[in-house]
């Protein structure tokens, strides 16, 4: 039995789908809303190391509100200033990390 942690937003449809699907299994699943409980710099750096700039959701409403100057800034600083810019969900399962709720993520997590 593996504990899984979903990092995203509690009102995000994709995060809710992932949570519901993973809770249907035997594993313990928790959701951390990054707006209410922001990620630490170390956590963000770990995710950036794992996913690179794919971690920044360039199709989000938040991204569209940024100036051109802000968009060219450091991804770590952007994600710290605007937690909702993070592509969602990030799923931690043991020492594995997954980005998004794609078919490959579902398959890797046995969904």
């Amino acid at each position: 039995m593996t504990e899984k942690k979903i990092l995203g937003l509690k009102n995000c449809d994709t995060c809710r789908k992932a949570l519901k699907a993973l809770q249907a299994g035997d594993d313990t699943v928790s959701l951390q809303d990054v707006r209410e409980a922001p990620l630490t710099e170390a956590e963000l750096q770990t995710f950036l190391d794992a996913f690179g700039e794919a971690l920044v959701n360039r199709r989000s409403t938040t991204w569209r509100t940024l100036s051109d100057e802000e968009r060219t800034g450091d991804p770590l600083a952007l994600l710290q200033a605007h937690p909702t810019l993070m592509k969602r969900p990030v799923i931690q399962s043991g020492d594995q990390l997954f980005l998004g709720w794609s078919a490959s993520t579902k398959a890797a997590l046995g969904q």
Side-chain angles (χ1 to χ4, degrees):
M1 189 137 103
T2 306
E3 183 176 334
K4 293 179 175 64
K5 185 174 185 179
I6 298 174
L7 300 119
L9 299 172
K10 65 183 176 188
N11 63 347
C12 168
D13 288 341
T14 305
C15 292
R16 287 194 299 232
K17 287 177 190 173
L19 181 64
K20 184 176 180 179
L22 292 172
Q23 284 177 330
D26 292 334
D27 298 326
T28 303
V29 185
S30 62
L31 172 66
Q32 177 180 336
D33 189 311
V34 298
R35 191 180 292 150
E36 293 175 1
L39 299 173
T40 65
E41 183 175 338
E43 288 173 314
L44 284 171
Q45 191 59 59
T46 298
F47 299 157
L48 280 167
D49 292 344
F51 306 120
E53 296 221 1
L55 187 63
V56 178
N57 184 357
R58 288 180 167 77
R59 296 188 309 172
S60 72
T61 304
T62 305
W63 178 261
R64 289 189 288 262
T65 65
L66 297 176
S67 69
D68 289 341
E69 183 179 330
E70 287 174 305
R71 291 179 184 184
T72 59
D74 175 49
L76 179 61
L78 269 175
L79 290 166
Q80 285 178 306
H82 307 280
T84 57
L85 268 179
M86 184 179 82
K87 182 168 172 56
R88 305 176 296 270
V90 171
I91 302 171
Q92 290 178 314
S93 178
D95 60 356
Q96 292 183 298
L97 291 172
F98 303 92
L99 182 61
W101 189 238
S102 63
S104 61
T105 298
K106 292 175 190 177
L109 294 170
Q111 295 300 305

